[in-house]
Amino acid sequence: MKVLTKDPIIKNLIGENNFSDAAKQLFEIQKEQWSMLNSGFKSLATVKSKLFQFDGFKIKAQFNVGRMISTSAKVDPKSISERKCFLCTENLPEEQRGILYTDKYIILCNPFPIFPTHFTLTRKEHRPQRIFGAFSDMLDLSKDISRYYSVIYNGPRCGASAPDHLHFQAGNKFFMPIDDEFHQIKNEYGKEIIENDNLSVFAVDDGLRKFISIESLNKKLVVKVFKKFYNTYSELMNENQEPMINLISFYEEEYGWRIIIFLRAKHRPAVFFAEGEAKMLVSPAAIDLGGVCVFPREEDFYRITKEQIADIFKEVFVDEVVLKKLAEVIKL
Ligand SMILES: [Zn+2]
């Protein structure tokens, strides 16, 4: 495959199973070779941000014009079927190179970054964005690049800009405030579901976000709890298709995996669809919910208030009843 890098340093790192440094090296090289990535990366230096302090956590608003296409992307089946898939290897830009991972995925640099180093991890073949069956791969990926990066997943109906092509994203650890604040949030707002030597599962409602967290060094246990969650949540939400979730997988050698499952009721808030003055271009997905809320239009960035951020977040999450029921069933 032409897209796969032949760089000898990267090949060496892959040979040592060091995908963290291989990915880091890919980003360094591609920045030099590929002008689109270079300008995307440079534009990050001019990104503006402002911080909203809530009780026990922060949400950063980021003005990032490079995210215009992604934030406003039309992801309805008709629009999707009428465009060329931008994640299929034959449609990637000429200069783009990637790293093959376990013969199933390709690690690519994202030319429209939010993270200082931002990757798209795409499935080699064109197949729909579905977490069931790919969750275990997500755990492996996040472990194998965990020296510097965490991995995120956006469901096909709540944030993925390619709902027809399976992909994850990865970016610098601790860039999203929740990476650092997780334990404080869990202690302050969490309700224990399962807690023993091998596994910790919590239901959390911090006033803005509702999520389930799974922590364990044991991959099988994480997968088992996730499957139970998935089935329960699908039933509760009365879904035949994938229930709306965004995931963050954060891995540390000493503690293992920490999965955050954001529980979504809505893809986009009402202000996204409003006309005129009331309109705000904001479309929350994993990174936004992790605490870096992206605004591609400057006017939205300047007028957004702490109260509005809180309202927008609350609006796109499930209600207390769903969280409570989920906790009850997962516990059994
Ligand atoms: Zn595709």
Side-chain angles (χ1 to χ4, degrees), residues 62-75 86 112-114 154 158-162 169 267-269 271-273 279-285 287-288 292-297 300 312:
Q62 185 192 80
F63 165 52
N64 185 338
V65 72
R67 299 298 298 178
M68 184 66 88
I69 296 167
S70 182
T71 301
S72 53
K74 283 195 171 133
V75 288
F86 59 88
F112 307 109
I114 301 172
N154 289 320
C158 55
S161 42
Q169 294 179 66
H267 174 207
R268 284 164 169 161
V271 288
F272 181 93
F273 303 100
K279 185 174 179 68
M280 279 218 180
L281 216 52
V282 56
S283 187
I287 303 172
D288 310 80
V292 182
C293 193
V294 172
F295 294 86
R297 296 199 311 186
D300 298 336
I312 288 167

Side-chain angles (χ1 to χ4, degrees), residues 85-88 125-127 164-165:
C85 176
F86 59 88
L87 293 183
C88 276
E125 327 80 61
H126 185 82
R127 64 156 78 170
D164 54 341
H165 192 131

